[in-house]
Amino acid sequence: QVQLVESGGGLVRPGGSLTLSCEASKSIMFRLYDMDWYRQAPAKARELVASISRFDMTNYKDSVKGRFTISRDNDKKTVFLQMNSLKPEDTAVYYCHGLYAGTDYWGQGIQVTVAS
């Protein structure tokens, strides 16, 4: 059973920073997984925020380019999302997602709230 566990969320003021972490089960070949961060705001559809492939290629949603950075540490089986210059519209539940051999894996989600 693959488990993805997010951490690092919370309440931050506009302009502030947070770093989300997603640690995967110790038993998996994490380096073979394509990893993403999604988010879902209230009454909105879940959307892809940032991706990092097993080849370390990254992609970002236009509205977070230049503010968010996705990275991974294969030895620690962890993917990170560094979020800077946060805006109220970044408020959402953030989900870690992994893809391997055509199978999707999801974390439980973690709340990020940007408010003064």
Side-chain angles (χ1 to χ4, degrees):
Q1 181 73 9
V2 177
Q3 289 188 320
L4 301 173
V5 180
E6 299 101 336
S7 61
L11 172 64
V12 64
R13 294 189 175 186
S17 299
L18 280 176
T19 299
L20 303 182
S21 300
C22 171
E23 186 173 3
S25 308
K26 300 300 183 186
S27 60
I28 69 169
M29 294 290 286
F30 182 77
R31 62 181 176 83
L32 299 180
Y33 283 63
D34 296 318
M35 301 299 298
D36 317 281
W37 286 97
Y38 283 75
R39 68 186 181 189
Q40 187 167 19
K44 292 189 176 180
R46 191 172 296 190
E47 61 183 8
L48 179 62
V49 176
S51 301
I52 185 165
S53 76
R54 59 193 181 279
F55 304 114
D56 282 339
M57 293 180 63
T58 59
N59 280 291
Y60 297 91
K61 178 180 174 61
D62 283 347
S63 63
V64 308
K65 285 180 180 177
R67 300 189 298 122
F68 290 11
T69 302
I70 189 170
S71 60
R72 64 192 295 162
D73 184 331
N74 289 334
D75 290 335
K76 295 182 178 179
K77 303 192 178 187
T78 301
V79 62
F80 304 95
L81 185 67
Q82 172 69 43
M83 304 185 293
N84 298 325
S85 302
L86 282 161
K87 303 175 181 180
E89 52 263 43
D90 295 317
T91 295
V93 177
Y94 283 70
Y95 295 89
C96 178
H97 169 261
L99 177 66
Y100 172 68
T103 301
D104 295 284
Y105 302 94
W106 292 92
Q108 80 284 357
I110 192 163
Q111 179 69 44
V112 171
T113 302
V114 185
S116 54

